[in-house]
Structure formats: C-alpha cells, structure tokens
Amino acid sequence: MIPGYKRPTPDKIDAILRKKLAALEIPPETLDQQTGSGTLRELICALVEDTLCEVSTQAQNELYERQQAGREEAQRRGVSLGRPSKKCSDKRFDKIRGLYESHAISAEEAAQRLHISVSTFYRWLRESRSQTPQDTE
C-alpha cells in the first residue's frame, strides 16, 4: 500500500458516486439498475476498488524499485548502510580493553561498563587483536 493511503470502503465509494450523480443531475436510482448478476452500483464500486488496489500495488512496487536502486547506488559509492557498530562509536573500548588486559577488571565488568554482553566483549577483543599485529620478537 501507499504510505498514508487508506483503502476506501464500498460505502465511501457509494457516497462519492451519489455526490457525482447529484452534481450531474442524474437520479440515484440509476445505480440500482440490473447489469449482469448485480446492480450498476455494485459493478462500479467493484471496478473502482479493483482499480485503486492495482494502482496502489504498482505504486508500492515502483517505490520498492527506487529504494533498491538507491541502495545499490549508495553501495557502489561506498556508503555504509545500516546501523553503525557500537564498537566503532564507543571510544571507551580501547581504555577498557587495556584495563582488562592488565587484569584490573574482569570481562564481565568490562562488558558491563560498555553496556554490551560478555560474548560481544570477547568478540570485539578477538577482532581488535586480529587487527593489531602483535610483536613476535
């Protein structure tokens, strides 16, 4: 559906039809004429509802395609999509890592100070160690 779009009910469509007929000075009884297996009113309401539904679906598909094209273009330009890693934005990690490695605090306390789980702290620790070459001499 189109954002903010509310599908009209058959009653709403019928009310609009009545207003249009009145504006054109056509008697409302015209809508009660039999056509096929129902009335003209039922036929018009069904056609309007189907048309609106189809237009809404097309608009939604076009919106999705534009969004997808925008994401692909952003990725080609090197833009990082999604929420940034908390580690990247947390300047305290290096300080807390130093405290942990000097045995001043436990992993649980380090994780608590960073407001993350212990397993996340260990993962960050592992990643930071793999990124920083250690002296093997």
Side-chain angles (χ1 to χ4, degrees):
M1 291 296 281
I2 300 171
Y5 172 76
K6 292 183 180 175
R7 191 172 174 170
T9 63
D11 292 337
K12 180 91 171 168
I13 295 170
D14 188 49
I16 294 169
L17 280 174
R18 287 180 185 276
K19 283 183 185 178
K20 290 292 183 184
L21 287 175
L24 296 170
E25 297 179 1
I26 299 173
E29 300 80 37
T30 307
L31 293 176
D32 295 327
Q33 292 177 2
Q34 287 293 95
T35 57
S37 61
T39 64
L40 186 58
R41 171 182 285 115
E42 292 167 345
L43 176 65
I44 292 173
C45 287
L47 287 172
V48 169
E49 191 174 2
D50 290 348
T51 302
L52 289 174
C53 186
E54 189 173 322
V55 167
S56 173
T57 301
Q58 284 178 338
Q60 187 176 9
N61 290 340
E62 289 171 7
L63 174 64
Y64 176 76
E65 289 169 6
R66 286 195 314 271
Q67 287 174 335
Q68 187 65 28
R71 282 193 289 279
E72 289 169 0
E73 177 59 28
Q75 286 176 333
R76 271 194 293 278
R77 288 183 284 137
V79 175
S80 176
L81 300 177
R83 183 177 178 161
S85 167
K86 188 173 181 179
K87 180 180 172 189
C88 294
S89 64
D90 199 334
K91 307 290 185 216
R92 299 171 301 152
F93 175 73
D94 291 330
K95 180 180 176 186
I96 292 173
R97 174 187 170 190
L99 289 172
Y100 170 75
E101 289 179 341
S102 67
H103 303 289
I105 60 173
S106 67
E108 289 80 11
E109 188 176 344
Q112 196 172 35
R113 288 185 184 188
L114 292 168
H115 304 287
I116 58 174
S117 70
V118 177
S119 61
T120 300
F121 176 72
Y122 281 128
R123 181 171 42 86
W124 287 5
L125 194 59
R126 198 171 45 251
E127 289 170 359
S128 68
R129 286 177 178 161
S130 69
Q131 291 173 357
T132 323
Q134 297 196 357
D135 295 337
T136 55
E137 300 177 61

